[in-house]
Amino acid sequence: GAVVSQHPSWVICKSGTSVKIECRSLDFQATTMFWYRQFPKQSLMLMATSNEGSKATYEQGVEKDKFLINHASLTLSTLTVTSAHPEDSSFYICSARQAGGPGIEQFFGPGTRLTVL
Amino acid sequence: AQSVTQPDIHITVSEGASLELRCNYSYGATPYLFWYVQSPGQGLQLLLKYFSGDTLVQGIKGFEAEFKRSQSSFNLRKPSVHWSDAAEYFCAVGASTGFQKLVFGTGTRLLVSP
């Protein structure tokens, strides 16, 4: 149980285009989902926290107009990288916290590799 | 705000030898502590977690970790390393309030030599 999927697993796009990444909790309902980015050989950095039906809370330094997060249902959150540039190339990982579950634990998706040319 | 330090960037261990990965945290209240493993290009897999109770916690794949409040540490151990254990290991501390966000350490890359 507690499986989180991400789609796509990898994407290559041209500079200036927008890319949408989906994060789904497959067998549980997630009231809260988190989005992280990870640069090569570095740790995960939290970008934003999203709660179902409300606006996402962004970490300091993360541009909310560039990284649009929508958490429209208890099983789906999306991250849209708008007007992507090469410096946005990274590994994006989402996680989900189970509604009514044992508090703090997050279940992680497999990640999405974004390459912007 | 919480923080995590993993002082070892790389560690090389011979197959069959014991392993200890260090993790020190900073948090003003009782921490929630986690160890995750990440293989190249993959997401994170939870190895074990500490919320409360017994300070020695057992995880998957033969890993264990001990919470030492006096030392603000949560070191990961394994008595006998297998070649398949080669990966990146992340320690994380979770806040007990608010969104209960996780903060990750910088990771330790484990290399296993034959």
XYZ file of all heavy atoms in Angstrom, chain A residues 34 36 38 41-44 46 49 51 57 59 91 93 97 102-106 108-111 113, chain B residues 32 34 36 38 41-44 46 49 51 90 94-96 98-102 104-107 109:
408
model
N 3.730 17.179 -1.257
C 4.922 18.008 -1.232
C 5.665 17.857 -2.557
O 5.700 16.775 -3.140
C 5.854 17.576 -0.097
C 5.230 17.621 1.273
C 4.496 16.540 1.743
C 5.385 18.727 2.094
C 3.919 16.565 3.015
C 4.816 18.758 3.363
C 4.081 17.686 3.811
N 9.462 18.456 -4.293
C 10.877 18.679 -4.058
C 11.599 18.739 -5.402
O 11.148 18.170 -6.397
C 11.484 17.514 -3.267
C 10.907 17.269 -1.887
C 9.733 16.539 -1.710
C 11.559 17.749 -0.754
C 9.215 16.312 -0.444
C 11.052 17.503 0.525
C 9.880 16.795 0.655
O 9.374 16.560 1.912
N 15.696 18.141 -6.889
C 16.994 17.593 -6.517
C 17.949 17.789 -7.678
O 17.732 17.233 -8.759
C 16.870 16.108 -6.164
C 18.163 15.484 -5.677
C 18.007 14.003 -5.372
O 17.212 13.310 -5.985
N 18.783 13.509 -4.411
N 23.652 14.999 -7.569
C 24.523 14.768 -6.423
C 24.216 15.701 -5.249
O 25.093 15.985 -4.436
C 25.991 14.893 -6.832
C 26.384 13.908 -7.919
C 27.881 13.960 -8.184
C 28.269 13.093 -9.378
N 27.852 11.683 -9.217
N 23.005 16.171 -5.176
C 22.613 17.030 -4.059
C 21.381 16.462 -3.355
O 20.799 15.468 -3.789
C 22.329 18.453 -4.542
C 23.558 19.150 -5.098
C 23.294 20.613 -5.372
O 22.401 21.228 -4.787
N 24.081 21.193 -6.263
N 21.016 17.113 -2.286
C 19.898 16.635 -1.492
C 18.575 17.139 -2.055
O 18.535 17.897 -3.022
C 20.058 17.099 -0.045
O 19.084 16.505 0.779
N 17.491 16.702 -1.443
C 16.171 17.171 -1.843
C 15.887 18.508 -1.169
O 16.103 18.658 0.037
C 15.101 16.182 -1.402
C 14.909 14.925 -2.245
C 16.039 13.940 -2.008
C 13.564 14.279 -1.939
N 12.800 21.150 -0.519
C 11.360 21.332 -0.588
C 11.037 22.599 -1.360
O 11.583 23.664 -1.063
C 10.773 21.391 0.817
C 9.265 21.578 0.915
C 8.534 20.370 0.330
C 8.845 21.793 2.371
N 4.394 23.056 -0.454
C 3.462 22.142 0.196
C 2.066 22.463 -0.317
O 1.671 23.642 -0.335
C 3.487 22.336 1.721
O 4.818 22.139 2.187
C 2.548 21.368 2.407
N -2.088 21.557 -0.138
C -3.204 20.904 0.529
C -4.403 20.899 -0.409
O -4.658 21.891 -1.101
C -3.561 21.624 1.822
C -2.512 21.401 2.889
O -2.386 20.313 3.437
N -1.726 22.407 3.168
N 1.654 26.376 -0.497
C 2.565 27.209 0.287
C 3.971 26.971 -0.225
O 4.479 25.844 -0.164
C 2.484 26.845 1.780
O 1.149 27.037 2.239
C 3.430 27.711 2.588
N 8.127 27.550 -0.513
C 9.298 27.835 0.291
C 9.953 29.132 -0.196
O 9.780 29.547 -1.350
C 10.295 26.684 0.221
C 9.765 25.402 0.832
C 9.451 25.535 2.305
O 10.368 25.845 3.107
O 8.280 25.336 2.668
N 15.691 17.039 -11.141
C 14.887 15.862 -10.804
C 13.826 16.337 -9.830
O 14.155 16.873 -8.770
C 15.801 14.797 -10.176
C 15.212 13.427 -10.066
C 14.678 12.800 -11.172
C 15.223 12.747 -8.863
C 14.145 11.521 -11.083
C 14.697 11.463 -8.758
C 14.157 10.848 -9.871
N 10.644 15.491 -7.435
C 10.062 14.377 -6.685
C 8.878 14.899 -5.873
O 8.972 15.957 -5.233
C 11.090 13.744 -5.727
C 12.318 13.261 -6.488
C 10.471 12.589 -4.952
C 13.410 12.706 -5.587
N 1.143 12.677 1.918
C 0.868 12.252 3.282
C -0.568 11.760 3.334
O -1.484 12.433 2.854
C 1.092 13.391 4.271
C 1.106 12.925 5.720
C 1.843 13.895 6.597
N 1.157 15.164 6.657
C 1.788 16.335 6.812
N 3.089 16.376 6.887
N 1.097 17.445 6.877
N -0.743 7.903 9.964
C 0.071 8.131 11.172
C 0.891 9.396 11.079
O 2.107 9.375 11.006
C 0.963 6.884 11.226
C 1.081 6.448 9.817
C -0.227 6.773 9.169
N 0.202 10.519 11.035
C 0.856 11.807 11.161
C 1.801 12.166 10.047
O 1.403 12.350 8.913
N 3.047 12.200 10.357
C 4.013 12.910 9.556
C 4.544 12.160 8.344
O 5.064 12.754 7.425
C 5.190 13.326 10.463
C 6.108 14.294 9.750
C 5.935 12.092 10.936
C 7.208 14.806 10.643
N 4.424 10.854 8.301
C 5.126 10.096 7.278
C 4.694 10.487 5.874
O 3.508 10.650 5.592
C 4.900 8.597 7.474
C 5.715 7.728 6.524
C 5.684 6.271 6.893
O 5.117 5.937 7.951
O 6.222 5.458 6.118
N 5.685 10.639 4.988
C 5.440 10.962 3.590
C 5.846 9.765 2.733
O 6.852 9.119 2.993
C 6.259 12.188 3.163
C 5.888 13.460 3.891
C 6.756 14.624 3.484
O 7.323 14.659 2.389
N 6.879 15.606 4.362
N 6.931 8.712 -1.095
C 7.554 9.406 -2.212
C 7.272 8.736 -3.548
O 7.224 7.517 -3.649
C 9.072 9.485 -1.999
C 9.454 10.494 -0.954
C 9.393 10.182 0.387
C 9.849 11.774 -1.329
C 9.724 11.121 1.355
C 10.181 12.714 -0.371
C 10.113 12.391 0.974
N 7.127 9.593 -4.562
C 7.034 9.100 -5.919
C 8.414 8.787 -6.468
O 9.432 9.094 -5.833
N 8.468 8.200 -7.661
C 9.744 7.789 -8.249
C 10.527 8.927 -8.877
O 11.669 8.733 -9.280
C 9.324 6.769 -9.309
C 7.952 7.204 -9.691
C 7.325 7.761 -8.458
N 9.916 10.108 -8.998
C 10.631 11.247 -9.545
C 10.398 11.447 -11.032
O 10.044 10.518 -11.763
N 12.468 13.326 -14.261
C 13.688 14.004 -14.734
C 13.292 14.997 -15.822
O 12.788 14.605 -16.864
C 14.667 12.967 -15.290
C 15.872 13.560 -16.000
C 16.939 13.983 -15.047
N 17.336 12.927 -14.128
C 17.995 13.132 -13.001
N 18.326 14.358 -12.647
N 18.338 12.132 -12.212
N 10.904 13.956 14.690
C 10.562 12.748 13.962
C 11.737 12.509 13.006
O 12.118 13.407 12.262
C 9.268 12.925 13.176
C 8.071 13.189 14.041
C 7.238 14.283 13.811
C 7.744 12.340 15.098
C 6.126 14.531 14.594
C 6.632 12.586 15.880
C 5.836 13.672 15.633
O 4.739 13.901 16.419
N 13.987 10.072 10.143
C 13.837 9.101 9.068
C 15.185 8.846 8.408
O 16.050 9.722 8.352
C 12.881 9.638 7.984
C 11.527 10.042 8.475
C 11.328 11.286 9.054
C 10.450 9.182 8.345
C 10.072 11.669 9.505
C 9.182 9.553 8.794
C 9.001 10.790 9.368
N 16.221 7.404 4.533
C 15.772 6.992 3.215
C 16.980 6.551 2.392
O 18.099 7.036 2.589
C 15.098 8.145 2.473
C 13.763 8.563 3.020
C 13.674 9.548 4.001
C 12.581 7.985 2.549
C 12.437 9.950 4.495
C 11.346 8.390 3.037
C 11.289 9.369 4.007
O 10.068 9.770 4.502
N 18.219 6.049 -1.755
C 17.906 6.404 -3.136
C 18.926 5.782 -4.071
O 20.122 6.054 -3.967
C 17.898 7.928 -3.312
C 17.480 8.382 -4.701
C 17.537 9.894 -4.854
O 18.411 10.546 -4.303
N 16.601 10.454 -5.598
N 18.779 7.790 -10.094
C 17.629 8.057 -10.937
C 16.304 7.590 -10.391
O 15.298 7.586 -11.108
N 16.293 7.222 -9.123
C 15.075 6.694 -8.512
C 14.563 7.613 -7.419
O 15.251 8.543 -6.983
C 15.341 5.307 -7.918
C 15.870 4.291 -8.902
C 14.863 3.949 -9.978
O 13.700 3.712 -9.698
N 15.307 3.938 -11.221
N 13.360 7.322 -6.979
C 12.809 8.051 -5.844
C 13.378 7.539 -4.540
O 14.356 6.795 -4.515
N 12.753 7.929 -3.459
C 13.243 7.570 -2.130
C 12.470 6.396 -1.552
O 11.248 6.336 -1.655
C 13.118 8.749 -1.177
C 14.273 9.745 -1.176
C 14.324 10.512 -2.466
C 14.132 10.693 -0.001
N 11.819 4.433 2.065
C 11.967 4.561 3.504
C 12.623 3.318 4.082
O 12.154 2.200 3.861
C 10.605 4.772 4.159
C 10.596 4.884 5.679
C 11.306 6.158 6.129
C 9.160 4.858 6.207
N 12.096 4.637 10.588
C 11.646 5.906 11.136
C 11.590 5.809 12.656
O 11.424 4.732 13.213
C 10.261 6.258 10.595
C 9.204 5.216 10.940
C 7.925 5.424 10.165
C 6.928 4.293 10.465
N 5.746 4.340 9.594
N 9.557 7.797 15.774
C 8.595 8.784 16.234
C 8.677 8.940 17.759
O 8.699 10.045 18.281
C 7.167 8.392 15.836
C 6.879 8.520 14.365
C 5.706 8.024 13.820
C 7.780 9.139 13.501
C 5.436 8.143 12.464
C 7.518 9.254 12.142
C 6.332 8.758 11.629
N 19.868 9.185 2.799
C 19.472 10.490 3.320
C 18.827 10.337 4.692
O 17.927 9.521 4.877
C 18.474 11.176 2.393
C 19.047 11.584 1.070
C 18.881 10.797 -0.052
C 19.757 12.774 0.949
C 19.404 11.170 -1.276
C 20.284 13.159 -0.275
C 20.112 12.350 -1.390
N 11.691 15.624 10.738
C 10.388 16.201 10.511
C 9.948 17.046 11.681
O 10.197 16.693 12.838
N 9.292 18.154 11.361
C 8.755 19.016 12.408
C 7.492 18.398 12.977
O 6.748 17.715 12.273
C 8.454 20.401 11.842
N 7.260 18.637 14.241
C 6.074 18.089 14.894
C 4.892 19.040 14.835
O 3.819 18.733 15.339
C 6.393 17.748 16.349
O 6.905 18.887 17.028
N 2.806 22.461 12.436
C 2.600 23.043 11.112
C 2.386 21.968 10.060
O 1.677 20.987 10.283
N 2.970 22.184 8.906
C 2.848 21.214 7.825
C 3.672 19.956 8.061
O 3.624 19.034 7.265
C 3.273 21.838 6.491
C 2.289 22.825 5.947
C 2.719 24.078 5.528
C 0.952 22.522 5.837
C 1.828 24.998 5.020
C 0.047 23.431 5.331
C 0.483 24.670 4.924
N 4.437 19.959 9.137
C 5.288 18.815 9.459
C 6.219 18.494 8.299
O 6.335 17.349 7.859
C 4.431 17.612 9.844
C 3.560 17.889 11.072
C 2.691 16.714 11.454
O 2.088 16.083 10.604
N 2.633 16.437 12.740
N 6.883 19.518 7.823
C 7.777 19.355 6.692
C 8.989 18.534 7.070
O 9.423 18.499 8.223
C 8.229 20.732 6.193
C 7.090 21.609 5.708
C 7.603 22.918 5.142
C 8.201 23.803 6.199
N 8.537 25.145 5.661
N 9.557 17.889 6.061
C 10.801 17.162 6.246
C 11.962 18.008 5.755
O 11.875 18.657 4.718
C 10.797 15.856 5.462
C 9.822 14.762 5.892
C 10.011 13.529 5.018
C 10.013 14.410 7.349
N 15.944 17.429 4.751
C 16.874 16.343 4.457
C 18.316 16.780 4.662
O 18.679 17.939 4.438
C 16.703 15.897 2.996
C 15.451 15.111 2.758
C 14.241 15.755 2.539
C 15.477 13.723 2.763
C 13.078 15.036 2.325
C 14.320 12.991 2.555
C 13.130 13.646 2.333
N 19.134 15.830 5.054
C 20.562 16.050 5.048
C 21.086 16.005 3.630
O 20.348 15.735 2.678
N 22.372 16.262 3.489
C 22.986 16.336 2.163
C 23.262 14.969 1.565
O 23.631 14.865 0.405
C 24.286 17.131 2.221
O 25.086 16.623 3.283
C 24.003 18.612 2.462
N 23.078 13.944 2.361
C 23.232 12.590 1.839
C 24.628 12.032 2.006
O 25.619 12.769 2.066
N 26.916 8.986 0.162
C 26.988 7.977 -0.900
C 27.779 6.784 -0.389
O 28.931 6.928 0.009
C 27.633 8.548 -2.151
C 27.736 7.517 -3.285
C 28.036 8.174 -4.607
N 26.959 9.085 -5.017
C 25.844 8.706 -5.624
N 25.634 7.432 -5.892
N 24.944 9.601 -5.964
